[in-house]
Amino acid sequence: MVISPIHYIFVPLATAFLIPLLQKLYKDAARVVPGLVLFYNLVISVILFRRVMQHGTVTEIIAGWRPPFGINLIMTPFSATLASLVSFMAFAVWLYGFRFKRVLKGGEVMYYEILQLMMIAGALGIILTGDLFNLFVFIEITGITAISLVAFYRDRHGAEAGFKYMLLGSLASSFLLLGILLIYTQTGTLNMAQIAQKMPAVDSGVKVIALIFILIALGIEAEMFPLNSWAPDAYSQAPSPTSATFASVLAVAALYALIRVGYTLFDARMISGFLIVMGFLTMLIAEMAAFSQTDLKRMLAYSSIGQMGLAMVAFGIGNETAIFGALFLMINHAVIKALLFMSGSYFIYNLQTKKMDALNGIHKRLPYVSFLFSLGVLAIIGFPPFSGFWSKLYILYGAANKNMLLLIIGILSITLIEMTYYLRVIGRIYFAKEKSEPASHKPSVNALVAMTALALVIIILGIYPDLISGYLHQAGRFLLDKQAYIQTVLSMR
């Protein structure tokens, strides 16, 4: 069997539609089969990642129609890195949630897993697609399934969060379609490589309007201020494994779409200032909001938004050092924030509340979970020798190379805010007097394995960042080389 990028998308989608039938043949199919599918995606991600890094871009022509006329999937070093990250995190979240979802009835598990598989397939489609219309289609798939998962428990707060997400998601869809329509009327194509080739001849006024529409649309998906009001509610009301998926899969795919369209269709210079300003505002507002939270999941949600803002700033700086830092940050954010949501969910499960003042002294009841949460905290704030240190350091190096002193001061100041509220939580966990004796619901073995694996990634990449640094530099260089992307796609045979 020939392994190709289409397997990333087709296998999870096909499985999602087959699960109701498989469930009739085997009562635990809805729990087990998605894990097999996601493990398969993880295996092919390793194979394709090695192929891309050793031999160059891998392409897939659908139905024999070559670009720019047909649909095509593209795995560049940039997209291969993020597709591999998404595949790894999707499997880790499934492993974590395998027994977590025993509280759900059989039918609910089936619906949950179908939605999860479709959301992951959509996220991978966003990363791999080579044309604008299919980018829109995959964003719609992820949006619809994410809304359904936010409102999955069918309570008042979940319904409200889902409705808010649906409103803003509809706005994003409308603006994205308008932007695509404008581009199509000017270039006569939906293929991103051919659009990039023709874009210099497009009227500058039309180009700016299309860019505004697309930035608004993708800014909503990528949690950019002030378009991110859906995110805190969505993260806090979704099932806990889904919250981890939002942080490690959905956010990565959305930011990829924003950067791929901005860098390839338009020009890095056109959006660099915008990304720096809006990314900095996103980071500042989100971290200040996180500082004032009393709800653990909302604090983690605002922290996730802040991390996305920092990644936008790094891509806005735009030199190779900063982009290396941005890619490292995306990996760190996916792994670390998933670990924080996973371990934090066991606090909530035991305490039956999301309030942070209930965390006092919980390390006595859940010592290992508390240790994992604390490790995630130290990593996310950039404490050496954990992996989060390197991403922030290289982003600061990138800013220093462009003499952006005020930006460096701003990032460091916001990091102090982040450090303050996270260490305040650690203080409650370890040093505050326990208010009550929570129930002792110990993590299942599979959840411990998933969380421990993420913790090991954080430690190993912190001590040995060179394990991935060469790949990230290669991905960053290819992102900056727009002509190489155009030539690779349009010369497909």
Side-chain angles (χ1 to χ4, degrees), residues 24 293 296 311 343:
K24 292 182 181 297
Q293 294 303 306
L296 179 62
S343 53

Side-chain angles (χ1 to χ4, degrees), residues 187-390:
T187 62
T189 182
L190 293 171
N191 183 274
M192 286 195 273
Q194 193 174 37
I195 292 170
Q197 188 181 54
K198 294 184 175 184
M199 193 61 81
V202 174
D203 177 77
S204 59
V206 176
K207 191 187 301 185
V208 169
I209 294 171
L211 177 61
I212 291 171
F213 282 150
I214 290 175
L215 287 178
I216 291 173
L218 297 180
I220 291 173
E221 302 295 340
E223 304 171 9
M224 181 187 293
F225 176 82
L227 309 168
N228 54 14
S229 60
W230 62 270
D233 291 337
Y235 277 94
S236 61
Q237 297 305 319
S240 293
T242 301
S243 299
T245 307
F246 282 175
S248 60
V249 173
L250 210 58
V252 168
L255 184 57
Y256 170 88
L258 179 65
I259 299 306
R260 168 58 74 199
V261 171
Y263 269 63
T264 303
L265 270 61
F266 297 92
D267 193 283
R269 291 171 296 180
M270 286 185 67
I271 65 168
S272 60
F274 174 84
L275 286 176
I276 290 173
V277 172
M278 298 310 298
F280 185 82
L281 287 175
T282 299
M283 183 170 50
L284 175 63
I285 301 300
E287 298 294 0
M288 290 177 65
F291 181 85
S292 65
Q293 294 303 306
T294 58
D295 180 302
L296 179 62
K297 286 187 77 174
R298 288 185 71 85
M299 184 202 79
L300 293 175
Y302 278 113
S303 173
S304 293
I305 296 171
Q307 291 290 302
M308 288 295 98
L310 180 57
M312 291 175 201
V313 169
F315 281 116
I317 293 169
N319 55 26
E320 190 174 328
T321 304
I323 288 176
F324 171 84
L327 290 170
F328 211 145
L329 177 66
M330 292 174 76
I331 293 172
N332 286 331
H333 171 77
V335 175
I336 299 169
K337 195 53 61 72
L339 176 61
L340 289 172
F341 272 112
M342 289 176 181
S343 53
S345 294
Y346 271 99
F347 293 153
I348 295 168
Y349 184 42
N350 278 268
L351 298 168
Q352 295 299 303
T353 179
K354 300 174 186 175
K355 297 299 180 182
M356 285 189 284
D357 57 6
L359 293 173
N360 292 1
I362 198 172
H363 78 284
K364 296 176 184 177
R365 296 274 175 170
L366 296 169
Y368 189 60
V369 175
S370 299
F371 165 75
L372 292 174
F373 186 88
S374 303
L375 188 150
V377 165
L378 294 176
I380 203 75
I381 63 179
F383 193 85
F386 304 110
S387 60
F389 169 76
W390 297 107

Side-chain angles (χ1 to χ4, degrees), residues 2 140 293 321 388 416:
V2 178
E140 288 298 287
Q293 294 303 306
T321 304
L416 288 177

Side-chain angles (χ1 to χ4, degrees), residues 59 104 119 183 198 464 476 483:
T59 56
L104 301 178
M119 183 169 64
I183 290 173
K198 294 184 175 184
Y464 302 107
Q483 291 304 315

